Amino acid sequence: MALIALVALPIAPFGPIYAAPPAAEQAGVIQTQETNVEGVVGELTECRRSEGVLTIKVRFRNNSNKRETLTFIHGNSDNDFPMYYVTAGNKKYFVLKDAEGTVLSINSTGAGSGVEAHLDPGKTYLWWGKYPAPPADVKKINFMMPVIVPFENVPITDK
Amino acid sequence: MVTRRSLNVLILFFVPCFASAQPKYSDPDSPEVQAAARAALPHAKIVDIGGKVVTIVGVTSGIQSVLQDLNAKVTAHEVKIDLDADVLFDFDKYSLRSEAAESLREVGEVAKSYGNSPVLIEGHTDGKGAHPYNMTLSDKRAAAVKSWLLENAGVSASRITTRGWGETKPIAPNTKPDGSDKPVGRQKNRRVEITIHTS
């Protein structure tokens, strides 16, 4: 059994990402929204501004009694990531990319490989992304992503 | 029987093999990721949405907002709408789900807005299953969409042609390079394409 687990875990980033165990020590939930998958909710747990970077974390939780799947990247992150954005005032902020064009967020490991989260009942999956932070006088943001109802008026924590 | 020693050898073999398969960034709280984010700031994409609001207000009235909802591709000669078959139909079925009505109602609105322009409805399946079965399934699914548009949206039968292509026209790989199943690709292939020829 130990061997099977060892081999299976590293393969996951090629395609599906398997859910982490429920995090009993999870940070406080700022806002919860529904997804289009019955029984699966998203909990925004962090909206932190630091050194000009805004970090957003959303923990997806399967409250249903059956296994559910969420697809975050369908194969090409360039197509999908423009749909994961922050708005504040009259600005729209897109996820940061490094010099090689890799998004500073959950990302796949190879061309054409998507990212899915397979959530067994009661399990969670953490989505995160790094964005350019709005100016210091902006205290709340809205966050949009395809799989879930928008998070609106989310307070920014400065650290 | 796997001995403890052979298990250790396998562990030493497999861990380096798969280490390179990790995503480039996996820990949002690591100093490396934060440093990469700071370094990316000069090239950050931030757009002003103030000006776009006017445009969005303009397209929310009339058929433009419906085209936008449907993610329709509009060219000088045609309007093309791709509908996810998983939304329209249950697995392996060709009777429409109740959830399909909203998208089909919008398709009907678009079709009617283009007068008597011909409408082509094409069904497609993924690569699983036998070819004859897939051809029949995609044909019946296209016909089901036609029937709905006739009965519920008032689109004239004489304008509509249907065709089933089975698995013969994939838009994404059904399998990964190693031959294993690729559900994401198969999902993209399960679709109904609706083309309104406008000129």
Side-chain angles (χ1 to χ4, degrees):
Chain A
M1 280 305 279
L3 177 61
I4 293 168
L6 179 71
V7 173
L9 280 172
I11 293 174
F14 274 115
I17 291 177
Y18 292 87
E25 72 289 1
Q26 65 180 302
V29 175
I30 300 169
Q31 192 175 122
T32 301
Q33 294 292 354
E34 290 180 82
T35 70
N36 282 325
V37 179
E38 192 174 355
V40 178
V41 297
E43 301 165 341
L44 197 147
T45 59
E46 186 170 313
C47 178
R48 181 170 49 88
R49 177 167 45 200
S50 175
E51 302 175 296
V53 176
L54 187 73
T55 302
I56 292 182
K57 295 179 185 173
V58 179
R59 185 180 301 282
F60 288 89
R61 184 181 301 280
N62 183 2
N63 292 326
S64 78
N65 57 7
K66 62 181 192 295
R67 195 177 204 228
E68 298 290 3
T69 298
L70 292 172
T71 301
F72 293 99
I73 302 174
H74 289 86
N76 185 336
S77 61
D78 286 341
N79 291 341
D80 291 340
F81 269 98
M83 293 185 286
Y84 294 72
Y85 61 86
V86 168
T87 64
N90 65 341
K91 301 286 185 189
K92 189 171 177 181
Y93 301 81
F94 294 92
V95 72
L96 290 166
K97 291 182 180 179
D98 69 10
E100 295 173 337
T102 303
V103 291
L104 286 147
S105 177
I106 59 160
N107 49 80
S108 59
T109 55
S113 61
V115 176
E116 293 177 335
H118 298 302
L119 291 163
D120 285 326
K123 303 288 177 149
T124 66
Y125 171 68
L126 180 66
W127 184 98
W128 60 273
K130 299 275 185 182
Y131 292 82
D137 62 334
V138 175
K139 303 301 182 189
K140 290 184 176 179
I141 57 100
N142 306 309
F143 178 59
M144 321 288 172
M145 61 194 304
V147 297
I148 193 167
V149 173
F151 293 97
E152 296 181 311
N153 294 316
V154 180
I156 300 173
T157 301
D158 285 291
K159 281 185 184 171
Chain B
M1 191 69 183
V2 178
T3 65
R4 187 180 184 85
R5 181 181 172 82
S6 61
L7 185 63
N8 287 339
V9 170
L10 284 167
I11 289 170
L12 288 171
F13 174 74
F14 276 112
V15 168
C17 279
F18 288 112
S20 62
Q22 294 298 324
K24 188 172 179 182
Y25 301 111
S26 56
D27 178 5
D29 298 321
S30 72
E32 291 78 14
V33 172
Q34 183 67 9
R38 284 199 311 273
L41 286 173
H43 311 291
K45 184 179 176 186
I46 304 171
V47 300
D48 192 333
I49 56 176
K52 289 186 179 176
V53 172
V54 175
T55 308
I56 291 167
V57 168
V59 297
T60 50
S61 61
I63 204 68
Q64 292 301 320
S65 66
V66 179
L67 289 168
Q68 196 173 39
D69 278 353
L70 290 167
N71 199 22
K73 297 176 183 68
V74 182
T75 68
H77 306 292
E78 65 181 30
V79 176
K80 192 161 188 180
I81 299 162
D82 288 355
L83 299 177
D84 183 346
D86 291 359
V87 175
L88 301 180
F89 305 97
D90 285 324
F91 177 72
D92 244 10
K93 304 280 191 232
Y94 54 87
S95 55
L96 286 159
R97 304 171 67 208
S98 57
E99 290 85 347
E102 187 177 352
S103 296
L104 294 178
R105 181 187 55 74
E106 291 186 317
V107 170
E109 280 185 44
V110 174
K112 284 194 289 186
S113 74
Y114 283 92
N116 289 320
S117 299
V119 179
L120 173 63
I121 301 170
E122 296 168 287
H124 301 268
T125 68
D126 63 23
K128 275 201 170 179
H131 174 68
Y133 181 86
N134 287 337
M135 292 297 286
T136 303
L137 181 62
S138 60
D139 204 30
K140 287 185 172 178
R141 285 182 165 182
V145 170
K146 176 183 177 178
S147 295
W148 195 98
L149 292 175
L150 299 182
E151 294 163 12
N152 300 283
V155 181
S156 166
S158 61
R159 292 177 59 194
I160 304 179
T161 308
T162 63
R163 175 81 197 257
W165 293 98
E167 76 288 7
T168 62
K169 292 195 169 189
I171 55 172
N174 287 296
T175 56
K176 296 175 183 173
D178 64 4
S180 62
D181 187 27
K182 187 169 185 180
V184 173
R186 287 195 294 106
Q187 187 193 355
K188 286 181 180 176
N189 292 331
R190 295 190 296 269
R191 66 200 190 278
V192 173
E193 295 177 351
I194 298 165
T195 309
I196 302 168
H197 296 283
T198 55
S199 65

